[in-house]
Amino acid sequence: MPFQHLTPSIGPTESGANMIVELVNAAATKVWQPYMHHQTFDRENTAEIIANDGRNLEIDSGMAHGLCCGTFGELLQGQLPLGSLSPDSHFLVTMPIAVFARAHFIPVVGSRSVTVYPPHKVKAKRLAENLLMALGASGGVLLLESELPEGKGLASSSADLVATARSIASCLKRRVPTTLIEKLMAEIEPSDGVMYPGVVAYQQRAGRLISFLGQIPPLAIVGVDEGGTVETVDYDQRRGEISANHRAQYQHLLDRIQIAIAQGDAATIGAVATSSALLHQERAPKKHLDSMLKASAETGALGVIVAHSGTMVGILVDRMAPDFPQKLQSVVDCVSAIDQSPQIYLTMS
C-alpha cells in the first residue's frame, strides 16, 4: 500500500479536508481533549474569540494554563526520495508519551515584552512575544515547568513552545490555528509534531504536517540515557544528505508505519522503529544500541526506539499483551544490567 498523504500543507483538497476531520475528531477524544481546547486545524479565524461554544474554559485568577506532551525520540526519522516533499526531504514520525511540559501565562496590561521563568527558556520567550504580537495582545509573565529533561531527544523544547502557545490562547480566550503555532516554531528551531493529537509524519525543518497517522497502541518504553545533551539546531546543521538507496528505505518504512498504526499493529511498529534506529546508527551512533537490541530479543519485546537527535535509547513493550507485567519486569531486569537507572515511559494511548 503506497503512502497516500505526502502533501505537507492542509488545504482545501479532499485529502486535506479529510485530514482536518480526523484531527478534529482525535482532538476531541478523552486522551487529547484536555490539551486541545484552543487550537484549530484550519487557516481561518486566527484570533477568533471563543464565546459560548460549549468548551467551558476556566481561567484561574488571570493565569491560564497550557500543557503539551513530549515524545520518546521518534518512531522513524530520515529523508525521503528527492522531490517527494517540499521544501526539503527531512521528516520524522512522532512517538507521543505521557510526560508533559506546562506553561502558565499571566498578562500584564500595557507590557510589550514577556518575562519568562526559568530565565534560560529563551525560545519560549521568543515564541510568546511573537504570538502575542500576531494576536495584537499585551505581554506578561510566562512560567514554565517541565517533566521532560532538556537536550535528551524527548521534545522538551517543542513541548515548551506548544504549551506556551496554548497557555496564551487560553488566557486570551482565543483559538489559534496550528499552522500559526508551527510557523512561529519553525522560525526558532526544527520542531517535533507534538502540537498534533496523535502520531504524525512531520517535516521538522519546515514545521509542516505531512500526514496524521492515528493513535499509537498502548506501549511502554524502558529507556536509558546515554548521557550528555544534544542541541537541536546544532545537530540539524551537522546532518548531511543520504544516498538514494537509504531514501528508498525510509519511504518503505514510512509506508509500513502508516499501515501499522492504522491497524494497531504493535509488532510492525516495533520493527519499523528498530529499522530506523539501525539506519541512523551510521550517522549518530548510540553506544548501547547493540546491548538494547540483544535485551529486546532475549525478552521477546517489540524492538528498540531511539532519540535520533538525542541521547535516549529504549525498548518497546506491548501493554496489551497478556504477559505484559512479567515481560516488562524482564525487560527492566535486562536493561538494569546496561544502565542502573532505567526509566519507564507510557505512550499517549
Side-chain angles (χ1 to χ4, degrees), residues 121-136:
K121 299 282 189 177
V122 294
K123 296 174 185 177
K125 170 182 170 67
R126 180 178 170 187
L127 182 130
E129 291 178 343
N130 289 345
L131 178 58
L132 289 164
M133 183 180 299
L135 298 177

Side-chain angles (χ1 to χ4, degrees), residues 41-280:
F41 295 107
D42 56 33
R43 299 179 183 277
E44 304 288 327
N45 304 320
T46 299
E48 176 186 349
I49 300 295
I50 298 178
N52 301 319
D53 66 352
R55 293 175 182 268
N56 298 319
L57 301 179
E58 296 181 2
I59 306 299
D60 180 14
S61 302
M63 183 166 71
H65 308 276
L67 283 84
C68 182
C69 72
T71 70
F72 191 98
E74 299 81 21
L75 284 169
L76 174 62
Q77 180 173 317
Q79 298 176 48
L80 294 176
L82 294 173
S84 60
L85 291 177
S86 178
D88 66 42
S89 60
H90 292 80
F91 80 102
L92 57 81
V93 175
T94 57
M95 180 56 152
I97 55 173
V99 186
F100 300 92
R102 294 170 171 82
H104 314 274
F105 182 70
I106 308 167
V108 177
V109 176
S111 173
R112 302 186 64 180
S113 64
V114 171
T115 301
V116 63
Y117 298 98
H120 74 277
K121 299 282 189 177
V122 294
K123 296 174 185 177
K125 170 182 170 67
R126 180 178 170 187
L127 182 130
E129 291 178 343
N130 289 345
L131 178 58
L132 289 164
M133 183 180 299
L135 298 177
S138 296
V141 177
L142 177 66
L143 310 177
L144 291 166
E145 55 181 345
S146 181
E147 301 164 353
L148 297 157
E150 297 178 8
K152 302 296 183 180
L154 302 186
S156 62
S157 292
S158 294
D160 279 349
L161 298 184
V162 174
T164 293
R166 289 173 176 170
S167 69
I168 290 171
S170 174
C171 182
L172 299 180
K173 299 185 180 181
R174 296 187 179 183
R175 297 176 67 192
V176 176
T178 303
T179 48
L180 175 59
I181 299 174
E182 290 174 306
K183 175 181 179 295
L184 297 177
M185 291 175 67
E187 292 172 355
I188 297 171
E189 67 174 5
S191 300
D192 293 273
V194 291
M195 66 290 294
Y196 288 102
V199 181
V200 295
Y202 197 73
Q203 287 181 281
Q204 68 270 32
R205 288 180 168 183
R208 294 184 183 181
L209 180 67
I210 301 171
S211 182
F212 173 68
L213 302 184
Q215 302 303 323
I216 198 77
L219 305 177
I221 307 165
V222 181
V224 300
D225 177 11
E226 296 197 333
T229 60
V230 176
E231 215 294 319
T232 302
V233 174
D234 292 341
Y235 170 82
D236 191 70
Q237 290 175 346
R238 292 196 306 269
R239 284 194 298 172
E241 298 301 310
I242 64 174
S243 68
N245 177 57
H246 277 181
R247 290 174 184 271
Q249 291 183 59
Y250 281 118
Q251 178 69 72
H252 174 65
L253 291 173
L254 186 51
D255 293 342
R256 288 184 67 194
I257 201 73
Q258 178 193 26
I259 299 168
I261 291 174
Q263 297 178 348
D265 181 353
T268 299
I269 291 170
V272 170
T274 301
S275 294
S276 186
L278 289 168
L279 279 170
H280 199 73

Side-chain angles (χ1 to χ4, degrees), residues 5 7-21:
H5 302 292
T7 302
S9 59
I10 298 177
T13 65
E14 182 177 355
S15 61
N18 290 340
M19 197 188 307
I20 291 173
V21 171

Side-chain angles (χ1 to χ4, degrees), residues 318-327:
D318 185 356
R319 284 157 55 194
M320 300 304 292
D323 62 344
F324 168 67
Q326 296 85 358
K327 184 163 291 186

